Amino acid sequence: MEALKCKSWVCRFCKSKEGFGPISYYGDFTQCFIDGVLLNATGLFMLIFGTRELAKLCRKETPGFKYRKDWVIVSRIFLVLLQIGFVSFSVLNLPKNKDKDITVTSQSVITLLSLFEVMILHWIEYNRSRVSNTIVLFYWLIGTIFNFTKTLNFFIRHYYEAKWPMGHSVFIFTLFQSINSFFILLLEAIPKKKLMPYQQVQQHLSRRKPNPYDSANIFSKISFSWMTELMRTGYEKFLDEKDLYKLPENFGSGELANRFDNHWQHQVRHNSSPSFTWALIFTFGPQMLIAGLFKVMFDILAFVQPQLLRILIKFVTDYSEEHKHKIYEFLGKVQIDKYKVPKVPLVRGFMISLGMFIVSFTQTSILHQYFLHSINTGMNLKSALTSVIYKKSLVLSSEAADMSSTGDIVNLMSVDVQRLQDLAQWCHLIWSGPFQIILCLTSLYKLLGKSMWVGVVILLVMMPLNSSLMRVQKNLQKGQMKNKDQRTRLINEILNNMKSLKLYAWEKPYKDKLEYVRNEKELKNLTKIGIYNAIISFQFNIVPFLVSCSTFAVFVYTEDRPLTTDLVFPALTLFGLLSFPLAVVPLVLNSYVEASVSIGRLYSFLTNEELQRDSVQRLPKVKNVGDVAMKLGDNATFLWKRNPEYKVALKNVNFQAKKGELNCIVGRVGTGKSALIQSLLGDLFRVKGFATVHGTIAYVSQVAWIMNGSVKDNILFGHKYDPEFYEKTIKACALTIDLAILPDGDKTIVGEKGISLSGGQKARLSLARAVYSRADVFLLDDPLAAVDEHVSSHLIDHVLGPNGLLKTKAKILATNKISALSIADSVTLLENGEIIQQGSFSEITKAPDSPLSKLIKEYGKKKHKSETVHSGSSPSSDNETSETERENSVPVKDELKELQKLENLHFNEDTSQSLRRASDATLRSIDFDDEEAVHKEHREVGKVKWGIYWEYLKSCGIKNVVIFMSFAILSMFLSVMGSVWLKHWSEVNTKYGANPHAGGYLAVYLVLGIFSALSTLIQTVVLWVYCTIHGSKYLHARMANSVFRAPMRFFETTPIGRILNRFSNDIFKVDELLGRTFSQFVNNVIKVSFTIVVICFTTWQFTLFVIPLGILYIYYQQYYLRTSRELRRLDSTTRSPIYAHFQESLGGLSTIRGYNQQRRFIHINQSRMDNNMSAYYPSVNANRWLAYRLEFIGTIIIFGAASLSIIRLKNGKLTPGMIGLSLSYALQITQSLNWIVRMTVEVETNIVSVERIKEYSEIPSEAPYLLEDRKPSPSWPTEGAIQFDHYSTRYRPGLELVLKDITLNIKPKEKIGIVGRTGAGKSSLTLALFRLIEAAEGCIVIDGIPINKLGLYDLRHKLSIIPQDSQVFEGTVRENVDPTEQYSDEEIWRVLELSHLKDHVLTMGKDGLLTQLTEGGGNLSVGQRQLMCLARALLVPTKILVLDEATAAVDVETDKVLQETIRTAFADRTILTIAHRLNTIMDSDKILVLDAGRVAEFDSPKNLLKNPESEFYGLCQDAGFVPHPSNA
């Protein structure tokens, strides 16, 4: 009792024998500390912060919602009044000696004041705030805990000293206060306030559910309970997009991108070398800082646990000693005083266990807040950067765009931004790692004294080794990125040009090229990375072990105290804590390295050259017809690019266009027609002169750019729908009949790049978009090339001509159609980028020797009919029969009359009146439902099937996997044996009070540790080199094979972005993530199994804990798995549209900029990004939700293990070593258990990639590539005769027939011209010949062999084609003409000369055939690309040649020369020519006229022209080869 007497001033201050404490003899807080510090602090917290909250709420504007006054608020106020009563009563019942106790009196006063304040706050926050007030919640939480502490304090003293410190009634009132504050806490935290009925209805009607995070209280945020509702939904059903919430406030990518952009622009403006990193720090720094603070608190708490463990083991040792003493006393029949206070009260042990529980629980709460803030930062960073990259790509100059191909920019988005996002989650470890190491070493020093310096020396020695390994790793990583880029670019190109590869039968050379990059470059490098990873992980396993071994060795030989259990186990726990920063810091350094590479790439992309802002001056539109609407003057000169040398596009140009006039630009291939149009769009560099445009622009590109959407979306293009004008547009652009043919009319989805439309339909759709926009200046880059004569004359009449829809607009038309020149107000001839002649049609014809006049004489057979015939009296002298026959092939005459009437009504009121400009549709957020079902990517639902795991195991090799597992188990077993050995050794030391046989014990420990680390090394090498890479290689090869062999319809219905996503994102996961997650999963399962065995071995009662906890675990895991799996899948499928839209935009930059639609496209990009994030956000928070709950269970395991040990102490069975062993393992288990569930999901998430790859490895393939038993003779076809026998075909099952019952007989060496209206089936005929579409019935026979009996390779490489869409590959000229490398350089030069490309190739540089062509042949004009295809056809000596509108993009002069080449070089071949220019087929042996997929006419041109009723005659009439009746 003497120990409890006290002489210090503190006792007199707080009138208690125990003094101020804070920790009492019993292990709890002293009463003085509870009253004087804890409860006073709680009251002051309320008075200070509560007052601030009150002021804030009163100043706040009245919110727009009202809550019903119901039982919730009444009960809260009632209970607070009750609490005031309890406090008052306990003050009145204080014993006499306590009323002078300052701690007690101050506590009573402050508590009462704070209760009055909290009552007012309850009332005000109920009416004015959506969320329960944080200050109020914390006040009641802290109050509850501290009041319970006080109650416990009274109870313990009553139990041991048999008296109540302040009297029994104060104890009762304190107990009531605790219970009451707990109820108020529940009332404040749990019930939801009810809105007024009308507001509930409003909320119910909003499109997407608001995010519960925004209306969650602080406890719900800490414990992630706001996610529970979604988790429940996910458990009950498969989640889909409708179940997702909106993003939380301030998470929208638009807002974040603007914030980042402001900081970045500030850097650019104020620094000569702007820092991308600082811009990131200024934008996302504050949130990172908060995460950092949480991390500091967590790290400090992590080192409190080992200290508590030491105190606990010390307590057990002391208690055991006393227990022995008691037994002796008992045996000696010594009288024991009943109320004698024991030297070591058992309650102290429970208090230590409780301390461990509280520390562990607080750690969990803090850790997940740290994670939440870090992940939010990463997510915001991704949203912002994706949007910024997209914005930047819209303004890249043409040379910058050449440098970064589509694949590169997609990589910036998918890989580099992802790396920065990952770094945001881990970056704090860079300072937290060293901080943890310092804390750890300090704790070790206190524990083991100077011996720990040996450990420090070992760590320092390892540092340089680490950094050298890191450097190697960085270089390997850089190489890996390059290889990945190269592969992505190659795949992107292969997918874009798949049709050409199939037509030319070039799959094999390109597949070999892909496999070379994949296997010889990428996977070889990955193997090296794997081996380095193994070395690094070996080093991290061996270091903590060497540190502990050497420290114990030095301790044993230098200190004169024994190495006892209370030193060994805390030291082991600390070494365990030390291994985490050591293992993670290099990984973090590695991701810093990767991120710095990515930051470099992003920096160079964002600082890339942009379009010249002032290249074109935009002025207000002009009012009157005849005013100049656009002008290039002062000898304007424009460049394609400035580096490495100037490349001039246009020089000394002076040109203007007036409102209401049509200006035609003509010239040979590559003379600068498109350049002139691009210069007006602002796509080129202006170095001299000026360019002005008045008003808005509409632009039709030479290669029509069609978006993946409906026909209507493509025409409206972000403008409001005006039904009347929309109808006119469709009729004027001759789309009426096409819409009747398409399955869903104008709602038909056209597929990526408009793949389901013919060339002519694309061109007219692109023109309709321009017409509908009703802009002021129209820039038309040869839209007439892809349409036939009928349609061409219709478009000239109704759109471009003097009575067309655009008659009041300024129009600039680059064209090779000479017949269009007659209606032009001015004609301009370009040569080598200079204007060599300009003037009106009549001026030109008057100067017969001028170049233009010669051109017109030679190629323009007549004036266009709208010159000669007034449109009002459209000729309709054909008789009725031919009218109906020709209905599908040409716009019906009645329809034209109707259209004419419409126009006359509209235009004749006032010729100068302009069309009203189309107004922009409002931008609203794009929801999931707005992505049509057609676009949606198929996603699996439910559990990933076991077959997929089996598939992956097989691809890795079963034997390899077994070896890997065996070494993993061995490694863990040896590690546990090491700890058991230490327990045994330390118990021996404790027993003898010295360190006997230290050398022997150390040697065994050393051997166990080294072999454990070696097993890990072998396990990692096997994992990387044998399992992962083996699997990756196999899966990629299977998918590539399958995609190469897929029929064309697969590429027509699947967006390229989606296929690319499998080849980039999914393959990346299989390459680098899947193996790693599997190994972590396996290692943690093994670790946990061993831990549970160890704990159960020491305290068997723990098995009673394990079973219910295990059931709870599995329950949570299942709950989580179902939701998380679907969320991850939703995240994957909502990511694809971002890439698809991104790629699509990159293809149509000029169009987007021309129509000034950047804002709308940025908005679409941001909406898709937000949709993706609203799937990603809950999926990462589901992890937090789970981890919080699992770690709470882990905390209970620690508490259970400690408390059970303490209860067993009474029997005296437990040794301190056993408790030390079991608790040091229990402390590790929370982390491992959490990891297991996380890894289960990671494995399942990443195995989804295998599932997705497997899906694309099983695409139904087209017919066999080679049939060995049916190979034709090498010289086949010798003649070139083609027979169609009742042949019909369709594009894919379920669609209409495109060719119907075609029967033809084409003799060897015949030249056949194929004509017909757009969409009549001309191109389908060629596809059928190459079997890109298979017969529905009937067959095609070439030289007596039915082609469906041959392998595709044998068929396709024996036919030649010059396809409609000329595709050029990135690579050398040689690779483009002959990728199979069968021909010599001389032969290739010869065909380049014949196709008129030789001179151009020579001017491109000194490399000759090795001259590099950019992605998609960007450095050739469209015409030159078609010439490249001609060169390919000339090279391969086949008997059959198909020309599919082969020279549509070539000017008439070049066309004439080429036709000569074709006639001479291909004299001995059967030629099928599809043409829109009739002059190219007038000398054919026969003409085939197709109409709606049937043969309408098949005869010689001579015979067909004899019959004025024939369709061919009508076409020739339009083209001016035969006179019109009215002209005759």
Side-chain angles (χ1 to χ4, degrees), residues 507-523:
E507 291 103 315
K508 191 171 179 325
Y510 276 88
K511 200 166 99 196
D512 293 346
K513 202 170 168 184
L514 175 65
E515 281 182 351
Y516 173 75
V517 173
R518 170 76 179 156
N519 299 339
E520 295 306 310
K521 288 187 167 178
E522 201 178 6
L523 290 184

Side-chain angles (χ1 to χ4, degrees), residues 1416-1431:
N1419 49 356
L1420 297 177
S1421 74
V1422 180
Q1424 285 161 339
R1425 280 179 240 161
Q1426 282 194 318
L1427 300 181
M1428 183 67 79
C1429 295
L1430 176 67

Side-chain angles (χ1 to χ4, degrees), residues 1208-1219:
R1208 283 195 67 194
L1209 273 179
K1210 280 202 139 172
N1211 321 341
K1213 294 273 174 60
L1214 266 189
T1215 61
M1218 284 162 98
I1219 288 189

